[in-house]
């Protein structure tokens, strides 16, 4: 395995067997996933509920055995070297892992000791993570009294208490208010700065766009496409620019001018406006404005928008991620 690869899977498959009216049926939750996660990056799984994101993470965390395929985590074989993987990987599930009847401090100390850390060091580490995640004001209260955002801070601290090289985060901000989401984004980015590699599953496009160095869009158990956020959005097409004019006559003249001087992906005139798609719109826009103004065609209004990850999802799956009822 390449030393730069923290996760490497080949043809990873996970099949569940269920009974329907006494008849056994197979459900293929993960279908031959090939995945490479490089050291030091935040790698995102973006997709709707039921796409296979969480199942893949549970396999990588050793909570589930793969049905078939080859998997290496931090260079260790997933089937034969599970203990090595568990010592070096942190996992934060959607539902969290805290004992709500205990205090946050008790949870952290116990978690550290479960990883073989002695009591004195466990206490010190718990105090450090309490300060790092700004939990000192409530760390000695029962975790059952915590808000959603406070519980997620504790969950991530529990996943990091043994200082793992790889952290698996399964939809860490689902259901949180905007302030709590923003805080966790900052902490996730800080963990990357500290050298932790992160595999993040999410159904939020803005979260994937903001945090992830590389994104894999997964649907029906398969990776459909992957790349950096900019690469994925660029694959949809160029940026969209809309020019508005005082009359449809001027708009038609501007259409002719732009077609003569600029290589456009798409150009359409509607009433007094021109809609055009062009690569690198932010850099090109000032030149287009000068061209129009120099020809006596005064622009009344202009907007520039870039393709979104939802546009990417639509292109490669045939439907919008928003259609699955996800909040943006």
């Amino acid at each position: 395995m390449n030393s730069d690869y923290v996760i490497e899977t080949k043809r990873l498959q996970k099949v569940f067997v269920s009974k329907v009216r006494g008849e056994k049926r197979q459900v293929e939750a993960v279908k031959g996933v090939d995945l490479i996660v490089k050291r030091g990056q935040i790698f995102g799984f973006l997709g709707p509920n039921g796409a296979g994101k969480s199942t893949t993470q549970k396999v990588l965390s050793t909570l589930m055995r793969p049905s078939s395929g080859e998997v290496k985590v931090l260079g260790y074989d997933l089937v034969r070297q599970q203990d090595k993987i568990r010592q070096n990987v942190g996992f934060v599930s959607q539902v969290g892992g805290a004992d709500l009847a205990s205090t946050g401090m008790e949870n952290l100390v116990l978690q550290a000791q479960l990883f073989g850390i002695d009591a004195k060091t466990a206490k010190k580490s718990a105090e450090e993570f309490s300060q790092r995640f700004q939990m000192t004001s409530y760390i000695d209260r029962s975790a059952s009294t915590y808000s959603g955002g406070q519980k997620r801070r504790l969950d991530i601290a529990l996943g990091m208490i043994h200082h793992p090289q790889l952290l698996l985060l399964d939809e860490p901000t689902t259901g949180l208010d905007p302030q709590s989401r923003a805080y966790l984004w900052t902490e996730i980015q800080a963990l990357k700065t500290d050298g932790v590699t992160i595999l993040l599953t999410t159904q939020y496009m803005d979260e994937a766009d903001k945090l992830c160095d590389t994104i894999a869009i997964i649907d029906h158990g398969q990776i459909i496409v992957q790349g950096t956020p900019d690469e994925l959005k660029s694959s949809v097409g160029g940026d969209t620019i809309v020019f508005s004019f005082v009359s449809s006559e001027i708009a038609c003249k501007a259409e002719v001018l732009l077609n003569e001087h600029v290589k456009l992906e798409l150009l359409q005139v509607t009433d007094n406006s021109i809609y055009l798609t062009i690569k690198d719109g932010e850099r090109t826009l000032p030149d287009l404005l000068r061209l129009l103004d120099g020809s006596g065609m005064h622009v009344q209004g202009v907007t520039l928008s870039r393709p979104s990850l939802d546009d990417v999802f639509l292109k490669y799956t045939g439907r919008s991620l928003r259609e699955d009822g996800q909040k943006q």
Side-chain angles (χ1 to χ4, degrees):
M1 174 175 170
N2 190 314
S3 60
D4 291 333
Y5 297 164
V6 172
I7 298 172
E8 188 174 9
T9 73
K10 295 179 181 178
R11 302 176 299 281
L12 171 62
Q13 182 189 45
K14 180 60 183 177
V15 177
F16 295 100
V17 178
S18 62
K19 278 190 176 182
V20 179
R21 298 186 184 90
E23 180 182 346
K24 287 187 177 181
R25 294 187 180 179
Q26 289 191 339
V27 178
E28 195 175 11
V30 180
K31 304 176 182 178
V33 164
D34 294 330
L35 182 66
I36 288 176
V37 176
K38 295 181 180 178
R39 188 176 300 276
Q41 70 171 186
I42 299 177
F43 189 102
F45 261 169
L46 175 65
N49 288 330
K53 306 186 304 294
S54 296
T55 299
T56 301
Q57 278 215 343
K58 287 176 181 177
V59 169
L60 294 172
S61 68
T62 74
L63 291 177
M64 288 182 180
R65 292 179 68 91
S67 300
S68 64
E70 300 175 26
V71 183
K72 286 192 174 181
V73 178
L74 296 165
Y76 301 113
D77 182 89
L78 184 73
V79 175
R80 292 182 288 114
Q81 297 175 291
Q82 291 190 358
D83 288 345
K84 293 287 188 181
I85 292 173
R86 290 169 183 166
Q87 286 293 325
N88 291 283
V89 173
F91 176 57
V92 180
S93 72
Q94 292 184 44
V95 296
D99 174 12
L100 299 183
S102 302
T103 68
M105 180 60 69
E106 288 169 342
N107 270 279
L108 290 171
V109 171
L110 175 61
Q111 183 81 341
Q113 290 179 312
L114 289 174
F115 279 99
I117 299 172
D118 65 83
K120 182 178 179 181
T121 305
K123 177 68 172 177
K124 181 179 179 181
S125 185
E127 290 172 349
E128 289 174 353
F129 277 101
S130 172
Q131 292 173 3
R132 169 160 188 168
F133 290 104
Q134 299 179 21
M135 298 187 294
T136 53
S137 63
Y138 55 85
I139 196 66
D140 292 319
R141 286 184 1 223
S142 167
S144 63
T145 67
Y146 291 5
S147 68
Q150 290 170 343
K151 286 177 182 176
R152 291 314 273 168
R153 294 187 196 193
L154 177 59
D155 289 336
I156 295 176
L158 288 169
M160 286 297 302
I161 194 70
H162 59 302
H163 299 280
Q165 299 176 50
L166 171 66
L167 180 63
L168 307 177
L169 294 177
D170 193 8
E171 302 198 12
T173 67
T174 295
L176 298 186
D177 61 85
Q179 183 177 0
S180 296
R181 288 184 73 206
Y183 172 79
L184 285 183
W185 285 3
T186 300
E187 286 299 338
I188 290 169
Q189 289 170 320
L191 290 172
K192 174 194 169 182
T193 300
D194 290 346
V196 180
T197 304
I198 298 169
L199 177 63
L200 168 78
T201 70
T202 183
Q203 55 184 310
Y204 296 129
M205 293 179 293
D206 58 341
E207 185 162 273
D209 204 353
K210 173 77 173 179
L211 294 179
C212 298
D213 302 295
T214 303
I215 296 171
I217 291 179
I218 185 169
D219 193 34
H220 298 300
Q222 294 179 301
I223 292 179
I224 309 300
V225 64
Q226 63 181 307
T228 68
D230 284 343
E231 286 171 347
L232 292 176
K233 288 181 286 189
S234 294
S235 72
V236 175
D239 300 330
T240 298
I241 298 175
V242 181
F243 291 119
S244 299
F245 301 92
V246 71
S247 68
S248 59
E249 182 182 357
I250 296 177
C252 289
K253 289 181 179 180
E255 177 190 15
V256 174
L257 178 69
L258 291 170
N259 269 323
E260 289 177 349
H261 290 85
V262 185
K263 184 177 180 181
L264 304 170
E265 304 279 329
L266 176 69
L267 189 147
Q268 179 181 354
V269 179
T270 302
D271 297 327
N272 299 350
S273 299
I274 290 180
Y275 297 77
L276 59 92
T277 302
I278 189 169
K279 290 184 178 179
D280 201 1
E282 187 174 354
R283 182 183 61 81
T284 308
L285 179 57
D287 294 333
L288 298 180
L289 288 169
R290 282 191 289 269
L291 174 64
L292 293 166
D293 189 60
S295 300
M297 301 174 193
H298 178 66
V299 176
Q300 279 200 319
V302 60
T303 60
L304 168 67
S305 59
R306 300 196 64 197
S308 70
L309 289 175
D310 193 51
D311 296 323
V312 178
F313 193 84
L314 176 63
K315 174 180 177 179
Y316 289 101
T317 69
R319 71 183 194 280
S320 169
L321 190 55
R322 293 189 178 94
E323 291 173 10
D324 293 280
Q326 312 306 335
K327 297 177 182 179
Q328 300 306 318

